[in-house]
Amino acid sequence: MAFTLTGCGAGSGSGNDVTLKLVAADYGSGEANTSQKYWDDLAAAFEKKNPGISVEVDVRSWKDVDRDVAEMVANDQAPDMAQIGAYADFAAEDRLYRTDELLPIPTQANFLPLLNQAGEVDRVQYGMPFAASTRLLFFNKKLFADAGLQPPKTWEDIRAAAAKLKADGVTYPFALPLGTEESQAETMMWMLSGGGGYRDAVNSEYDIDSAANVETFTWLRDKLVKPGLTGPTAPGHLDRQAAFEAFTKGEVGMLNGHPTLMEVAEKAGVDFGMVPLPSPDGAATSSMGVADWMMAFKQNGHREEIGRFLQFVYRDENVLAFSDAYDILPVTVTASTEMESDAKHSKLKPFLEELPTSELYPVGKTSWAKVSKSVKANIGKAVTENGDPEAVLSGIAKEAAEAEAAEAATSAK
C-alpha cells in the first residue's frame, strides 16, 4: 500500500504530545487481511511526518463497532474519531465537529456529491464518507449454464430460474438473507426494485408500509419463499455472511452482493456473473448504495490534530489503497476517476457506474439507527409461510414514526 505524507492540515496548532484515538470497523474477512494492518501502516506514515501526534486505532467487528462506540459516548469516553455506520444521532446531540471545522474546502469538495449530501443533518455536514459500495445480483454461471438459463431481467425470470435450479438440486436457488446481520440492506434492495423504498420520493419522510413495499414482500413470500426457492434456512434466520459463504461453495444460484464478494468468490473458484437487481417488468430502477462514515468527536478537544490526520486519510493514494485492499468504492471524485480509468479495476466498473444515481440509507435521520434495528428484528417475519407483509411493515413504520416523534421532542427542548 502506498501512502502520501503531509504535514499540512486544518488549523495551525503545534499538535505537541497529542494521542488521537480512532475506533474503526474491520473490513477484512479474518486475521490475514484485517483492517488493523491498514490503519497501523497509515498511522505510522502519518506520525513520521507529524512529530508530537500519535494515532491509536482500535479496529472492531462490524457486529460490535456501532454499539461499542455508542456505549463509549454514553459513558463520556468518546474516541477522537470513529469510522462506523451512522453519525446522525451523535450530531443531533452536538457531540461532533462539523466537517468544515476539520477539512479545507478542496478536500470537502472532493467527496462525491451524493455522499456529501448524505453526510448532512439539517444541511450541515458532520459525516465524512469513508467507504462506499453498491449492490448487484450475483449468479453462478456454471449452475445457470447447466440449467440452460440466462441472466434474469424480471422478477418472473428470477422465480422461473430459481424453480429450475431447485429442480436441479441447488441448495439455495435464491439466497434471501433477512436475518439480523444486515437485513436492512436486503430489504432496501427489494423495496427499490419494486418501486418503493424506506422514504417517500417527494418529501423524504418514512414510507415503509407503502403499497409498493407491501406488494414487494407479498411477492417474495408467495413466489420465492413458499415454493421453497430460498433454500433450507428460513430467510429470517439467514445472515448475509452465511449466504456469501454458501455462494463461494457453489451452493447458491443467485443472491444480492457487494464488491467484496467478487474477490472471495474468485478465490474459491466460482465463475459468476453480475446484473442489476431485476424489477417486476424489467425496467431500470434505483440501485442501493451504501456509505460508511468517519466522524470526529468534540469531547477531547483535538480539532486541529484531527483535521491534520483526516486530511492525510483522504489523500487519493490512501483512499485508493483502502479500496484496493477491500474491493470498496472510493468516496472522492478524483480517486473514483482514477479507479475508473485503471484497467485493473475493470470488474468494479459496474458498481462504480451504479453509485452516482444510487439511493442511500436515510442516515441523515437521527431515528435511522432505531429504524434499522427494527427492520433487522422484524422483516424476516414478513415472508414466513403465514407471514403478513402488511402487518409487519406497518409495525416497523409505527416504530419509525415513534422514533421520529421522540427525536423531534428532544430537539424541541
Side-chain angles (χ1 to χ4, degrees):
M1 293 184 290
F3 299 106
T4 297
L5 307 177
T6 175
C8 303
S12 57
S14 64
N16 290 331
D17 302 317
V18 168
T19 297
L20 299 177
K21 295 185 178 180
L22 165 64
V23 178
D26 194 353
Y27 290 77
S29 56
E31 286 299 318
N33 67 340
T34 175
S35 299
Q36 188 72 54
K37 184 179 187 304
Y38 170 85
W39 284 113
D40 288 347
D41 289 347
L42 184 69
F46 172 78
E47 291 167 359
K48 186 176 180 181
K49 288 293 184 178
N50 291 271
I53 306 178
S54 300
V55 183
E56 295 180 358
V57 186
D58 181 2
V59 171
R60 304 193 181 198
S61 163
W62 267 114
K63 286 191 174 183
D64 304 320
V65 69
D66 287 275
R67 181 188 67 245
D68 290 351
V69 170
E71 291 177 356
M72 292 174 192
V73 173
N75 293 329
D76 291 326
Q77 297 176 340
D80 294 286
M81 296 163 284
Q83 185 271 298
I84 53 177
Y87 66 87
D89 48 347
F90 301 128
E93 295 170 355
D94 195 30
R95 296 181 182 273
L96 302 180
Y97 287 116
R98 302 188 314 268
T99 300
D100 63 7
E101 295 178 293
L102 301 165
L103 298 176
I105 290 175
T107 305
Q108 296 176 59
N110 197 30
F111 291 129
L112 292 168
L114 173 74
L115 304 181
N116 252 339
Q117 185 176 4
E120 296 177 352
V121 173
D122 295 331
R123 298 185 179 182
V124 178
Q125 186 173 0
Y126 298 93
M128 292 159 277
F130 179 75
S133 69
T134 53
R135 306 297 167 89
L136 295 172
L137 177 69
F138 285 64
F139 62 95
N140 184 305
K141 285 186 174 182
K142 181 179 186 304
L143 296 179
F144 264 58
D146 291 346
L149 297 169
Q150 297 297 317
K153 296 180 179 179
T154 67
W155 284 4
E156 173 56 23
D157 290 344
I158 289 177
R159 186 209 62 77
K164 184 67 170 66
L165 292 168
K166 181 185 179 184
D168 286 356
V170 176
T171 306
Y172 292 91
F174 193 105
L176 185 66
L178 294 177
T180 58
E181 182 188 354
E182 204 195 24
S183 54
Q184 82 282 3
E186 189 75 17
T187 296
M188 185 172 174
M189 283 182 273
W190 281 100
M191 284 179 170
L192 292 173
S193 71
Y198 283 122
R199 296 177 290 186
D200 180 271
V202 177
N203 56 28
S204 292
E205 296 301 319
Y206 286 122
D207 197 20
I208 293 168
D209 57 348
S210 68
N213 292 340
V214 171
E215 186 175 344
T216 292
F217 279 86
T218 300
W219 185 89
L220 287 171
R221 180 196 65 186
D222 294 345
K223 301 299 183 180
L224 289 186
V225 181
K226 281 188 176 181
L229 304 181
T230 54
T233 304
H237 296 286
L238 182 65
D239 282 340
R240 178 198 62 179
Q241 187 61 34
F244 281 14
E245 288 174 0
F247 187 77
T248 64
K249 295 176 182 176
E251 298 173 352
V252 175
M254 297 170 278
L255 85 170
N256 293 315
H258 52 62
T260 305
L261 181 58
M262 292 192 308
E263 180 183 1
V264 179
E266 286 174 350
K267 287 182 178 178
V270 176
D271 188 14
F272 61 89
M274 301 178 298
V275 293
L277 180 60
S279 62
D281 60 2
T285 59
S286 296
S287 62
M288 187 189 80
V290 176
D292 302 323
W293 303 94
M294 179 72 75
M295 62 213 69
F297 291 90
K298 295 193 281 188
Q299 179 176 321
N300 301 318
H302 296 149
R303 181 185 67 83
E304 294 186 12
E305 293 83 3
I306 292 170
R308 188 177 298 182
F309 178 65
L310 290 180
Q311 186 179 358
F312 176 74
V313 167
Y314 285 109
R315 293 293 298 261
D316 278 353
E317 293 84 351
N318 301 333
V319 171
L320 285 167
F322 188 85
S323 298
D324 283 344
Y326 300 106
D327 283 330
I328 294 292
L329 304 184
V331 296
T332 63
V333 174
T334 49
S336 296
T337 300
E338 184 173 338
M339 176 177 279
E340 192 167 5
S341 63
D342 191 336
K344 75 175 182 179
H345 295 299
S346 59
K347 290 184 179 179
L348 280 172
K349 277 193 175 182
F351 295 96
L352 281 166
E353 290 168 356
E354 293 284 327
L355 185 59
T357 58
S358 65
E359 184 170 332
L360 304 176
Y361 294 134
V363 289
K365 286 182 173 290
T366 54
S367 59
W368 169 241
K370 295 177 182 177
V371 174
S372 176
K373 182 178 179 180
S374 179
V375 173
K376 291 179 180 180
N378 295 295
I379 196 63
K381 303 170 188 174
V383 296
T384 59
E385 184 78 19
N386 298 312
D388 185 339
E390 185 172 8
V392 171
L393 290 169
S394 293
I396 297 171
K398 182 174 181 293
E399 291 194 42
E402 291 171 350
E404 282 283 273
E407 295 292 348
T410 299
S411 299
K413 291 181 180 180

